């Protein structure tokens, strides 16, 4: 039986988010109990939105609107047609639209998967002379597949089984990272490391601890490169070139913004090839000091960084986890921000990064920490890799289900 095709407003109510107050960054609107979802929060979410970086207070809520959990959010500016379902009640601005399905007419999960399939089409019609924008006038020209409600539910059940596993793995990843962070804090900030009771404090540091620069302890500090003339967007098979937009946390990776370089460019590159336990430090723009870690072959066996990213390794590989958690601390992020020596384009160079001052504990404590947290980090990356495989399986199945090629 052939499916019907309908515009989005035939499947549910559609309206833009609300943020009436100007200027939008007025501090008096923020800091309350109401989650405020932005386009970046939608992009970071896998299926459900449960995390956010800002909140509204009562004044912020008064000039906005509180949307109920279960609302489908999709972006109409910045990152066009990214979508996720609210897992919590939240506000969002007019750069995001909200969709609420008509009861018995559409399943919100099915419509979310429609956006996944139709995202490229949404991007194409959104292109503008100055800024891309997905207005309702443009969106209303796109027809969504609309099988009967029970068929929508069956398809959504199949696909969401993958996403539910991914969400559960994400929760475990977060717990593992938090556990490793707690151990780091206990040992190296609270100074309650194993055997601390018998170690005297000398000039504010335990005996055997010292102030060093990153240049004193590094084994590798190198930035990547990109092909002459820039990335060739026509390349469909090659090696991923990692930039600041790809990595968003430990074991978190943004596949949607991947850019490829040719295998030939990778093989001939003299620097920037990612190896096991490499620490990535972003060197310029808005991302100065943002730090991540790659483990084994996550998420690819062959990857490299572009010219905006440093790869950092300690002289001793068993110190690598300690060095990552240290560079990931807020105080060292702030220090790296201050290493910026450029007025026009913010950025730090290799010599400036080598001059970064850090506290280095006794080597045996550093090694003991690395060995202690290694199983947690390895489990974290195993789950992240499993998520990649699940998302690949889901994405292969998605278009076949959504165009009726596979009957349910």
């Amino acid at each position: 039986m052939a499916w019907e095709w309908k515009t989005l407003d035939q499947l549910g109510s559609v309206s833009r988010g609300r943020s009436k107050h100007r200027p939008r960054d007025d501090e008096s609107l923020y800091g309350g109990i109401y989650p405020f979802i932005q386009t970046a929060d939608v992009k970071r979410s896998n299926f459900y939105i449960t995390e956010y970086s800002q909140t509204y207070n009562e004044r912020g809520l008064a000039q906005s609107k509180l949307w109920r959990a279960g609302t489908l959010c999709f972006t109409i500016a910045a990152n066009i047609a990214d979508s996720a379902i609210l897992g919590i009640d939240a506000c969002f601005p007019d750069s995001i639209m909200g969709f609420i399905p008509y009861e018995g007419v559409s399943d919100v999960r099915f419509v979310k998967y429609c956006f996944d399939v139709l995202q490229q089409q949404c991007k194409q019609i959104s292109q503008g002379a100055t800024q891309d924008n997905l207005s309702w006038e443009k969106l209303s020209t796109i027809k969504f597949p609309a099988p009967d409600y029970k068929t929508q539910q069956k398809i959504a059940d199949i696909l969401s089984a993958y996403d539910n596993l991914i969400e559960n793995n994400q929760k475990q990843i977060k717990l593992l990272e938090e556990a490793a962070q707690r151990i780091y804090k206990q040992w190296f900030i609270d100074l309650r490391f194993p055997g601390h009771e018998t170690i005297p404090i000398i000039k504010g540091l335990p005996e055997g601890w010292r102030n060093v620069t990153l240049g004193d302890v590094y084994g590798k500090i190198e930035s990547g490169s990109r092909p002459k003339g820039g990335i060739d967007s026509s390349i469909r098979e090659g090696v991923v070139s990692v930039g600041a937009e790809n990595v968003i946390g430990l074991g978190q990776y943004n596949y949607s913004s991947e850019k490829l370089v040719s295998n030939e460019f990778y093989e001939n590159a003299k620097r920037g090839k990612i190896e096991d336990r490499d620490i990535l430090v972003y060197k310029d723009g808005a991302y100065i000091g943002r730090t991540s870690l790659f483990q084994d072959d996550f998420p690819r066996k062959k990857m490299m960084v572009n010219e905006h990213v440093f790869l950092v390794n300690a002289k001793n590989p068993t110190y690598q986890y300690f060095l990552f958690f240290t560079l990931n601390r807020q105080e060292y992020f702030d220090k790296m921000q201050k290493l910026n020596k450029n007025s026009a384009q913010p950025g730090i160079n290799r010599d400036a990064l080598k001059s970064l001052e850090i506290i280095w504990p006794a080597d045996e404590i550093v090694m003991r920490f690395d060995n202690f947290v290694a199983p947690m980090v390895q489990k974290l990356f195993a789950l992240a890799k499993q998520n990649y495989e699940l998302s690949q399986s889901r994405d292969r199945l998605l278009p076949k289900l959504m165009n009726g090629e596979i009957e349910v």
Side-chain angles (χ1 to χ4, degrees), residues 222-227 230-231 241-246 259 271-272 279-291 304-312 342 345-350 353:
E222 65 182 35
S223 60
S225 60
R226 73 170 66 207
I231 297 291
S241 176
V242 175
E245 67 277 7
N246 294 111
K259 296 179 175 63
R271 64 182 193 275
I279 297 169
L280 282 66
V281 178
Y282 304 102
K283 57 186 282 193
D284 54 28
Y287 299 103
I288 291 176
R290 196 162 82 176
T291 307
M304 66 184 303
V305 293
N306 65 23
E307 74 275 22
H308 301 293
V309 183
F310 283 117
L311 293 178
V312 179
N342 301 329
Q345 173 66 25
I348 53 177
N349 59 37
R350 186 171 180 267
L353 187 60

Side-chain angles (χ1 to χ4, degrees), residues 68-115:
R68 298 303 179 193
T71 300
L72 174 65
C73 298
F74 58 95
T75 56
I76 61 173
N79 311 307
I80 300 296
D82 286 330
S83 61
I85 298 169
L86 284 181
I88 51 174
D89 294 352
C91 302
F92 50 80
D94 52 11
S95 55
I96 298 173
M97 278 192 177
F99 169 84
I100 300 173
Y102 292 140
E103 187 174 353
V105 174
S106 67
D107 185 301
V108 70
R109 300 169 301 164
F110 179 85
V111 176
K112 187 266 185 285
Y113 290 121
C114 287
F115 269 101

Side-chain angles (χ1 to χ4, degrees), residues 32-74:
I33 63 171
Y34 305 103
F36 177 55
I37 306 301
Q38 300 176 80
T39 56
D41 298 315
V42 178
K43 188 175 187 66
R44 278 194 296 268
S45 300
N46 173 57
F47 195 75
Y48 290 103
I49 303 171
T50 57
E51 296 185 357
Y52 45 91
S53 54
Q54 281 189 311
T55 58
Y56 272 149
N57 54 28
E58 294 291 342
R59 188 164 186 259
L61 176 63
Q63 55 85 57
S64 186
K65 173 183 176 179
L66 191 65
W67 298 74
R68 298 303 179 193
T71 300
L72 174 65
C73 298
F74 58 95

Side-chain angles (χ1 to χ4, degrees), residues 78-257:
N79 311 307
I80 300 296
D82 286 330
S83 61
I85 298 169
L86 284 181
I88 51 174
D89 294 352
C91 302
F92 50 80
D94 52 11
S95 55
I96 298 173
M97 278 192 177
F99 169 84
I100 300 173
Y102 292 140
E103 187 174 353
V105 174
S106 67
D107 185 301
V108 70
R109 300 169 301 164
F110 179 85
V111 176
K112 187 266 185 285
Y113 290 121
C114 287
F115 269 101
D116 292 345
V117 172
L118 297 170
Q119 184 172 28
Q120 192 56 41
Q121 187 178 349
C122 291
K123 287 182 176 180
Q124 288 173 350
I125 66 171
S126 302
Q127 293 175 354
T130 56
Q131 183 178 353
D132 292 349
N133 185 271
L134 182 60
S135 65
W136 172 246
E137 183 181 8
K138 294 174 182 177
L139 181 59
S140 64
T141 64
I142 293 180
K143 294 294 183 71
F144 287 69
D148 64 85
Y149 184 61
K150 287 187 177 179
T151 299
Q152 291 183 42
Q153 288 183 307
K154 289 178 181 178
I155 291 172
D157 286 344
I158 293 169
L159 293 171
S160 63
Y162 291 91
D163 281 306
N164 288 338
L165 282 173
I166 291 172
E167 291 282 347
N168 286 335
N169 284 349
Q170 289 293 97
K171 291 176 182 177
Q172 291 185 61
I173 287 171
K174 185 176 181 181
L175 290 173
L176 286 165
E177 181 177 5
E178 289 173 348
Q181 293 280 11
R182 280 197 301 271
I183 294 166
Y184 178 91
K185 180 179 181 298
Q186 182 182 21
W187 286 28
F188 303 114
I189 298 177
D190 301 336
L191 301 183
R192 298 183 65 80
F193 52 89
H196 70 279
E197 302 91 343
T198 61
I199 304 297
I201 301 298
I202 302 173
K203 294 183 178 180
L205 291 177
E207 185 178 34
W209 293 37
R210 60 199 189 276
N211 290 295
V212 301
T213 65
L214 188 59
D216 294 328
V217 297
Y218 83 96
K220 172 177 71 174
I221 299 179
E222 65 182 35
S223 60
S225 60
R226 73 170 66 207
K228 188 176 181 180
I231 297 291
D232 181 354
S233 59
S234 67
I235 294 178
R236 292 292 175 263
E237 292 186 8
V239 176
V240 173
S241 176
V242 175
E245 67 277 7
N246 294 111
V247 182
I248 51 179
L250 187 61
Q252 309 295 309
Y253 183 78
N254 181 11
Y255 298 93
S256 66
S257 60

